[in-house]
C-alpha cells in the first residue's frame, strides 16, 4: 500500500495503493472523497505504452487498416493514420536490423525517407507477414483486441521522446511565448539526432540540467532495448512501460507530496528508486507501512467503493444517479428521488440545483469508473435557457481537472448532454453486492451460533496439528467486535490457549460469516483437512 499526500488549490489529496499477492489497487482521494480507482492483477501483461514486435496477420483494405499479432488472443488493430509520418524510415530500419544486416547505420546516422502520404493505402506500405514495431494505444476492451500505433513515444515526467522524428512540440497549456521559445531552444540544443520531443506542461520553468537528465534517461532506456531487437522474434515484447503506480507518480508527483507509504518491499524499492531518479530531494517521503488493518479499511476506501460503484448512486438529499453500461455507450439518468422543496423554491430552481449537484457526482464517477467512449446524461428538464447554459459551463469547469481527453456538448432540447471521454482501458467493473452473510451464496447455512466454534477449530488445526504459530485471520468487523469484547475476551483466551503469534484483523471487505487466513508471507490459504494455498 502506498499513500501520497499533496495539496493543490487547497484540495488535500491522497493516493493509496494496496499491494496484495494477486493484484494492485490504486485509490486517489480528494478531501477524503474517492475520485479515482484502478485495479490490476499482478499477472497483467498488457498496458498502454508497451511496445511489441508484431506480425501483420491480415490487411483490411476497406478499413485501410491491418490486424497485427502481438501475442494477445485477439489481434491488435493498426490503422493507416496511426503509422506515423516517418513509418517508411522506421520500417526499413527494423527490417535491416532483423535481417542481421551488419552494414545498417547507427540509429543517430539513420537517413530519413520521404514522409507517408496522408491519403495513402495500408497495402502500399504493409504486407501480410511483415514484422513491425507497434505500441499499445488502448488496452483490449470487451471482445476487441488492443488498439495499436506505429508512431512510438516514451513518456517521462516532463518530456516525451519520439524516435524516428526530429520535431519539437511544446504543450499548448504553456501560454507565454517567451517560455515556449526558451523550452524549444533548450530542447533543440540537448536532444540527439533522429529523436523528436514533446515538451509537457510540467516542464515550465525547469532548468536545462533537469530536462537534459530526463531526456538522457529516457533515451538510454530506448537504446538499451534497441540492442535486443536483432534477436527478437515476432510476436514479442520490445519495451515494457513502467507499472501503473510509477506511471501515475510520473504524472502527478510534485513538491507538495508529504508521504509515500508502501506495504510491499519490492514496490518500496521500485518507488524509492524512481523518486530518487526524478526528484532526489524528495526521497525522504518514501516509507514502508506496517499497519495491522487493511489499508483501504483504515482510510475509508472500502466503504466508498461499496457505496460509489453500484448501479444506483445516491449523491445529495435523496437524489440519485442510475448508471447503465451498454456495448455502444454509457447512459446516466439523473433523478431527484425523495428530495423535497423545503425552501419553497420554484420547480425550475429545484431542478437546477439537483442538476448542479448531479454534475459534480457525474464528473467524479467518470474518473472513478474510468468511463470512456460516448456518455449520454439525462438531466432533469429545465425550461430556462440560461440555466441550461450555466449547467453546461459548470460541467465544463469541473471536468477541466480530468486528465483524460474529453469533449462536452451543450444540452439538447430533450435535456440530454453528450460527453466523449478518452478510453484507453476497460471500464472498471467492481462487484459491490455481497454474498448472503448467512449462507455465503450456497442457499444452505450452518447455525450462526456455531461460527465461534468453527473458527476456533480452524485455529486449533493450524496451531496444534500443523504447528503454524504466526498467521493472520481476517474477519468481519462485527464478528471482531464480538470476539474482543470484555476484559478477558474470547480472542485473548484463544491467544493464551493456542498462539500469541496469531493476529485477528477486522476486514470490511468480508461477508458477515466469512473469514480468510494469511501466512507470514501474506499468502492466503484455506484450512480444511490440510492447508490449500490459493
Amino acid at each position: 500500500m502506498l499513500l501520497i499526500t499533496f495539496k493543490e488549490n487547497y484540495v488535500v489529496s491522497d493516493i493509496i495503493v494496496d499491494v496484495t499477492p494477486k493484484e494492485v489497487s490504486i485509490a486517489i482521494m480528494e478531501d477524503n472523497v474517492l475520485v479515482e480507482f484502478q485495479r490490476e492483477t499482478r499477472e497483467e501483461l498488457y498496458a498502454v505504452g508497451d511496445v511489441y514486435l508484431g506480425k501483420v496477420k491480415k490487411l483490411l483494405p476497406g478499413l485501410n487498416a491491418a490486424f497485427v499479432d502481438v501475442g494477445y488472443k485477439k489481434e491488435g488493430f493498426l490503422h493507416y493514420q496511426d503509422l506515423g509520418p516517418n513509418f517508411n524510415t522506421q520500417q526499413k530500419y527494423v527490417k535491416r536490423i532483423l535481417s542481421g544486416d551488419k552494414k545498417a547505420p547507427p540509429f543517430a546516422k539513420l537517413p530519413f525517407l520521404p514522409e507517408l502520404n496522408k491519403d495513402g493505402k495500408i497495402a502500399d506500405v504493409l504486407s501480410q507477414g511483415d514484422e513491425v514495431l507497434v505500441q499499445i494505444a488502448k488496452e483490449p476492451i470487451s471482445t476487441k483486441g488492443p488498439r495499436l500505433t506505429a508512431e512510438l513515444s516514451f513518456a517521462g515526467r516532463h518530456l516525451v521522446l519520439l524516435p524516428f522524428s526530429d520535431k519539437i512540440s511544446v504543450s499548448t497549456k504553456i501560454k507565454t511565448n517567451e517560455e515556449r521559445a526558451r523550452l524549444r531552444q533548450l530542447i533543440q540544443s540537448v536532444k540527439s539526432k533522429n529523436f523528436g520531443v514533446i515538451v509537457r506542461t510540467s516542464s515550465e520553468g525547469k532548468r536545462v540540467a533537469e530536462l537534459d537528465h530526463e531526456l538522457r534517461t529516457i533515451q538510454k532506456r530506448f537504446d538499451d532495448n534497441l540492442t535486443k531487437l536483432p534477436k527478437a522474434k515476432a510476436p514479442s515484447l520490445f519495451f515494457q512501460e513502467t507499472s501503473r503506480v510509477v506511471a501515475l507518480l510520473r504524472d502527478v508527483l510534485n513538491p507538495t507530496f508529504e508521504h509515500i507509504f508502501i506495504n510491499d518491499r519490492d514496490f518500496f524499492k521500485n518507488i524509492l528508486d524512481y523518486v530518487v531518479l526524478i526528484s532526489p530531494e524528495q526521497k525522504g517521503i518514501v516509507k514502508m507501512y506496517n499497519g495491522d488493518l487493511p489499508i483501504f479499511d483504515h482510510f475509508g476506501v472500502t466503504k466508498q467503493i461499496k457505496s460509489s460503484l453500484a448501479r444506483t448512486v445516491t449523491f445529495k438529499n435523496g437524489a440519485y444517479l442510475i448508471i447503465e453500461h451498454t456495448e455502444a455507450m454509457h447512459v446516466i439518468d439523473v433523478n431527484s428521488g425523495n428530495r423535497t422543496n423545503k425552501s419553497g423554491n420554484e420547480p425550475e430552481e429545484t431542478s437546477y440545483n439537483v442538476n448542479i449537484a448531479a454534475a459534480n457526482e457525474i464528473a467524479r464517477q467518470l474518473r472513478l469508473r474510468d468511463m470512456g467512449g460516448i456518455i449520454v446524461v439525462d438531466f432533469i428538464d429545465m425550461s430556462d435557457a440560461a440555466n441550461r447554459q450555466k449547467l453546461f459551463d459548470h460541467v465544463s469547469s469541473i471536468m477541466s481537472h480530468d486528465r483524460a481527453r474529453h469533449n462536452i456538448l451543450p444540452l439538447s432540447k430533450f435535456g440530454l448532454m453528450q460527453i466523449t471521454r478518452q478510453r484507453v482501458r476497460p471500464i472498471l467493473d467492481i462487484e459491490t453486492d455481497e454474498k448472503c452473510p448467512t449462507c455465503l451464496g450456497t442457499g444452505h447455512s450452518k447455525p450462526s451460533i456455531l461460527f465461534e466454534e468453527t473458527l476456533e477449530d480452524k485455529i486449533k488445526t493450524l496451531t496444534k496439528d500443523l504447528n503454524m504459530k504466526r498467521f493472520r485471520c481476517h474477519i468481519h468487523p462485527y464478528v471482531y467486535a464480538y470476539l474482543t469484547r470484555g476484559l478477558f475476551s474470547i480472542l485473548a483466551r484463544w491467544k493464551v490457549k493456542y498462539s500469541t503469534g496469531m493476529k485477528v484483523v477486522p476486514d470490511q471487505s468480508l461477508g458477515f460469516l466469512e473469514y480468510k487466513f494469511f501466512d507470514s508471507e501474506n499468502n492466503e490459504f484455506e484450512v480444511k483437512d490440510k492447508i490449500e494455498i490459493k
Side-chain angles (χ1 to χ4, degrees), residues 75-90:
E75 286 93 6
F77 182 82
L78 176 64
H79 193 273
Y80 179 84
Q81 297 295 333
D82 293 322
L83 294 178
N86 294 309
F87 179 75
N88 284 331
T89 303
Q90 175 178 317

Side-chain angles (χ1 to χ4, degrees), residues 135-341:
Q135 190 167 32
I136 305 292
K138 292 183 180 179
E139 291 181 11
I141 295 175
S142 186
T143 59
K144 302 175 183 177
R147 180 69 183 262
L148 307 175
T149 176
E151 194 169 11
L152 309 182
S153 62
F154 302 92
R157 186 183 181 192
H158 305 303
L159 306 170
V160 179
L161 187 69
L162 307 173
F164 304 100
S165 174
D166 265 328
K167 295 181 179 178
I168 299 175
S169 302
V170 181
S171 170
T172 56
K173 293 183 179 180
I174 299 178
K175 299 301 183 183
T176 62
N177 292 331
E178 294 80 4
E179 179 63 7
R180 293 172 62 86
R182 182 188 76 89
L183 290 170
R184 187 181 297 275
Q185 184 177 5
L186 187 157
I187 297 300
Q188 185 66 54
S189 66
V190 298
K191 83 173 187 68
S192 300
K193 193 174 184 297
N194 291 344
F195 285 102
V197 176
I198 297 175
V199 182
R200 306 180 75 175
T201 309
S202 59
S203 295
E204 189 169 9
K206 295 296 183 291
R207 298 173 300 172
V208 61
E210 187 173 356
L211 298 179
D212 180 56
H213 174 70
E214 179 173 294
L215 193 60
R216 301 300 168 205
T217 301
I218 304 173
Q219 185 177 326
K220 185 177 185 304
R221 290 188 66 195
F222 173 76
D223 292 339
D224 290 346
N225 283 275
L226 199 59
T227 60
K228 305 174 185 176
L229 189 58
K231 299 180 180 179
K233 293 184 179 180
S236 62
L237 181 64
F238 169 76
F239 175 91
Q240 187 166 25
E241 178 62 286
T242 55
S243 71
R244 193 164 292 180
V245 181
V246 172
L248 189 64
L249 275 177
R250 180 185 65 202
D251 292 337
V252 303
L253 184 64
N254 60 63
T256 62
F257 277 54
E258 295 180 2
H259 300 101
I260 302 178
F261 289 113
I262 309 154
N263 71 342
D264 181 271
R265 284 287 174 188
D266 292 336
F267 269 71
F268 170 80
K269 185 178 184 304
N270 290 339
I271 296 298
L272 179 60
D273 290 346
Y274 184 72
V275 172
V276 169
L277 176 66
I278 66 172
S279 185
E281 69 279 3
Q282 291 183 276
K283 65 178 182 180
I285 67 176
V286 183
K287 304 178 185 298
M288 276 292 296
Y289 173 85
N290 296 303
D292 290 334
L293 276 180
I295 183 61
F296 277 2
D297 288 6
H298 180 74
F299 288 96
V301 177
T302 304
K303 183 177 181 180
Q304 294 197 50
I305 290 174
K306 296 287 187 182
S307 64
S308 301
L309 291 170
R311 175 177 177 267
T312 301
V313 179
T314 303
F315 58 91
K316 189 176 183 181
N317 296 335
Y320 61 94
L321 306 175
I322 295 179
I323 302 175
E324 297 280 6
H325 177 208
T326 71
E327 183 68 23
M329 67 181 70
H330 304 278
V331 181
I332 302 176
D333 185 33
V334 179
N335 295 273
S336 59
N338 59 2
R339 181 188 175 102
T340 56
N341 193 359

